[in-house]
């Protein structure tokens, strides 16, 4: 009897993995479904589940492949994942190992463009309040583009034709390819550090969305927003729109249009100058005529014809005022003198000196204090008697104090 062979778990998983990886269909296939449970591992690998009404399958996209996907994956997104089926031996779980991913109903680049646009718009990078007006007079233009492309030739030709005085500084810049975004950022920094440009033209000719993709990169958008010098975005044709167009201070439909927007036609400036000259001459003539009329009017004024007459009138007026003032002042002095004499008479009538002149005296002690009653004096006390014409010194040798109601006749 033949004994049945016993397999280990690892052997079974390895066998199934070999079957799956060598299956013609499972070796390379496209699977459509809805993304769920999306997670990004610290290693950079993406893990998620694709599901539909009939089931679900675990999926993984390794870091190297994930870096090539331009848009962000979100749960609920309908996608088509290309890859192969294999088994993860440690858990015995089969998975779909993705190599590329695209959204359903929209191209990958278009989706990435919309996501980037929505994010930067939410941050305010497109806000008109942050956009600066171009200088009224532009003397120097920094051109950031490929030095060999048709765009730089168009910009130089149009700018020189419109205004030969404008200076152009070309900063050679990669505008397509893997390193284009970083090179655009560096050129923007150099143009700002240079400090002589009044405006920056950033652009290139037309192309596919892939060709123009560098102008949709986030680092380019933030460099444009941070520029101290106003930036004109002139990328592609009139129907092409990039993130740079929304962030820039001004969008030009083509590089040629950017050259026109940043320069003034010299003939137009000359005509404008001639119009200003004529207007200035007309205004000066009008001002001179108005001044002449006013001068003629003033010349006819009596004050200018007979200047001393005005002085004489003023002098007579002042003399009359002085006369009236003197009369008023004398009348007031007379009235006040009469009032003062009357007050002096009333004051003299009640003055103690008047009483003294009638033969009375005032008794004062040795300190000069009035002695107003007999009770205040002491026998032997020295008193001073103030009379109308001097002071007598006496001594009290006796005193009599009247009781209440008693009179001298009663003594």
């Amino acid at each position: 009897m033949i004994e049945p062979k016993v397999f280990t778990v690892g052997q079974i998983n390895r066998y199934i993995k070999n079957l799956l990886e060598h299956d013609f269909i499972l070796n390379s296939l496209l699977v459509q479904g809805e993304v769920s449970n999306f997670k990004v591992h610290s290693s950079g690998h993406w893990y998620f589940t694709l599901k539909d009404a009939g089931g679900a399958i675990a999926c993984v996209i390794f870091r190297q492949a994930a870096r090539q996907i331009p848009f962000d994956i979100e749960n609920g997104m309908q996608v088509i994942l290309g890859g192969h089926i294999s088994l993860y031996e440690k858990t015995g779980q089969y998975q779909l190992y993705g190599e590329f991913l695209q959204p359903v109903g929209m191209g990958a680049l278009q989706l990435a463009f919309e996501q980037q646009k929505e994010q930067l718009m939410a941050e305010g990078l497109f806000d008109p309040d942050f956009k600066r007006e171009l200088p009224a007079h532009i003397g120097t233009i920094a051109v950031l583009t490929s030095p060999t492309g048709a765009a730089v030739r168009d910009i130089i030709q149009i700018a020189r034709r419109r205004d030969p005085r404008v200076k152009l500084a070309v900063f050679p810049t990669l505008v397509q390819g893997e390193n284009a975004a970083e090179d655009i950022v560096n050129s923007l920094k150099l143009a700002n550090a240079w400090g002589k440009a009044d405006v920056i033209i950033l652009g290139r000719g037309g192309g596919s969305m892939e060709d123009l993709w560098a102008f949709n990169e986030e680092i380019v958008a933030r460099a444009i927003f941070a520029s101290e010098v106003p930036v004109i975005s002139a990328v592609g044709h009139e129907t092409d729109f990039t993130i740079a167009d929304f962030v820039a201070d001004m969008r030009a439909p083509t590089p040629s249009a950017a050259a026109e927007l940043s320069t003034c036609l010299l003939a137009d400036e000359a005509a404008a100058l001639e119009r200003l000259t004529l207007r200035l001459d007309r205004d000066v003539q009008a001002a001179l005529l108005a001044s002449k009329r006013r001068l003629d009017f003033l010349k006819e004024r009596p004050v200018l014809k007979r200047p001393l007459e005005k002085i004489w009138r003023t002098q007579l007026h002042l003399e009359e005022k002085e006369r009236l003032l003197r009369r008023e002042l004398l009348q007031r002095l007379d009235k006040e003198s009469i009032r003062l004499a009357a007050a002096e008479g009333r004051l003299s009538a009640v003055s103690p000196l008047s009483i003294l002149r009638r033969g009375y005296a005032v008794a004062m002690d040795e300190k000069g204090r009035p002695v107003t009653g007999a009770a205040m004096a002491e026998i032997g006390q020295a008193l001073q008697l103030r009379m109308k014409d001097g002071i007598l010194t006496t001594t009290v040798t006796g005193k009599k104090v009247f009781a209440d109601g008693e009179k001298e006749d009663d003594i």
Side-chain angles (χ1 to χ4, degrees), residues 82-111:
H84 65 279
I85 300 293
S86 186
L87 184 81
Y88 186 53
E89 295 183 33
K90 288 187 177 181
T91 62
Q93 180 184 22
Y94 80 91
Q95 299 179 112
L96 175 56
Y97 291 81
E99 297 168 5
F100 67 90
L101 186 72
Q102 68 180 35
V104 174
M106 182 183 294
L109 290 180
Q110 185 62 36
L111 177 58

Side-chain angles (χ1 to χ4, degrees), residues 352-410:
L353 296 178
S354 297
I355 298 174
L356 294 179
R357 283 194 292 269
R358 293 200 299 268
Y360 293 95
V362 177
M364 295 179 293
D365 63 11
E366 61 275 7
K367 294 183 180 179
R369 294 175 296 190
V371 178
T372 58
M376 295 176 62
E378 300 293 338
I379 302 297
Q381 181 180 359
L383 296 178
Q384 294 179 348
L385 299 178
R386 174 66 184 269
M387 307 184 75
K388 67 175 183 178
D389 56 353
I391 298 175
L392 297 178
T393 301
T394 185
T395 301
V396 178
T397 58
K399 72 176 183 178
K400 173 64 177 177
V401 179
F402 297 148
D404 291 340
E406 186 179 4
K407 299 180 181 179
E408 185 176 359
D409 297 338
D410 300 331

Side-chain angles (χ1 to χ4, degrees), residues 4-223:
K5 186 175 180 178
V6 179
F7 296 94
T8 65
V9 174
Q11 288 174 327
I12 296 298
N13 284 347
R14 195 173 303 112
Y15 179 78
I16 296 174
K17 178 180 180 181
N18 186 59
L19 289 177
L20 294 174
E21 290 182 348
H22 286 83
D23 184 272
F24 177 75
I25 294 177
L26 302 181
N27 186 48
S28 179
L29 75 168
L30 300 174
V31 180
Q32 177 176 335
E34 178 185 326
V35 176
S36 65
N37 299 322
F38 177 76
K39 296 178 181 178
V40 179
H41 195 269
S42 59
S43 62
H45 305 327
W46 292 0
Y47 296 93
F48 58 96
T49 300
L50 277 185
K51 64 179 183 179
D52 59 16
I57 184 172
C59 305
V60 59
I61 299 179
F62 292 127
R63 178 178 58 190
Q64 195 64 26
R67 288 177 176 175
Q68 306 303 316
I69 299 174
F71 59 92
D72 297 328
I73 296 180
E74 300 174 356
N75 288 325
M77 182 182 292
Q78 286 287 334
V79 297
I80 296 176
L81 178 62
H84 65 279
I85 300 293
S86 186
L87 184 81
Y88 186 53
E89 295 183 33
K90 288 187 177 181
T91 62
Q93 180 184 22
Y94 80 91
Q95 299 179 112
L96 175 56
Y97 291 81
E99 297 168 5
F100 67 90
L101 186 72
Q102 68 180 35
V104 174
M106 182 183 294
L109 290 180
Q110 185 62 36
L111 177 58
F113 175 83
E114 296 298 335
Q115 290 178 339
Q116 188 77 275
K117 179 181 174 183
E118 183 176 349
Q119 174 193 341
L120 297 178
M121 182 184 296
E123 293 184 27
L125 269 68
F126 304 164
D127 196 327
D129 291 340
F130 294 121
K131 298 187 183 298
R132 291 154 296 185
E133 296 287 340
L134 299 186
H137 299 286
I138 297 175
T140 303
I141 303 173
V143 182
L144 279 57
T145 188
S146 170
T148 59
V152 69
R153 293 195 298 271
D154 291 343
I155 291 173
I156 293 173
Q157 179 182 0
I158 292 174
R160 286 179 174 173
R161 173 171 53 81
R162 288 175 59 83
D163 191 351
R165 301 168 302 174
V166 172
K167 298 177 182 178
L168 297 172
V170 178
F171 289 73
T173 306
L174 293 176
V175 292
Q176 183 176 336
E178 184 177 354
N179 299 318
E182 290 79 3
D183 202 47
I184 292 171
V185 172
N186 290 333
S187 292
L188 283 167
K189 291 180 179 178
L190 285 174
N192 276 270
W194 184 45
K196 296 181 180 180
D198 298 311
V199 70
I200 295 173
I201 295 179
L202 172 64
R204 57 152 291 161
S208 65
M209 194 170 194
E210 290 81 359
D211 295 336
L212 307 180
W213 190 252
F215 296 90
N216 292 321
E217 294 284 1
E218 181 179 357
I219 58 172
V220 172
R222 297 193 183 280

Side-chain angles (χ1 to χ4, degrees), residues 298-337:
L298 292 175
K299 285 167 58 179
E300 298 300 321
R301 297 286 299 272
V303 69
L304 292 179
K305 283 189 171 184
R306 297 180 295 278
L308 292 179
E309 182 179 338
K310 178 68 173 178
I311 297 175
W312 293 336
R313 288 179 182 175
T314 304
Q315 187 175 1
L316 290 174
H317 178 71
L318 290 176
E319 290 176 354
E320 177 65 17
K321 288 291 185 182
E322 183 181 4
R323 186 182 63 79
L324 293 176
L325 183 61
R326 285 179 178 275
R327 187 177 67 182
E328 180 70 20
L329 181 59
L330 290 174
Q331 289 177 352
R332 288 195 179 187
L333 286 175
D334 291 342
K335 290 181 180 179
E336 293 301 325
S337 296

Side-chain angles (χ1 to χ4, degrees), residues 341-355 357-358:
E344 184 179 10
R346 290 193 298 273
L347 182 62
S348 177
V350 297
S351 172
L353 296 178
S354 297
I355 298 174
R357 283 194 292 269
R358 293 200 299 268

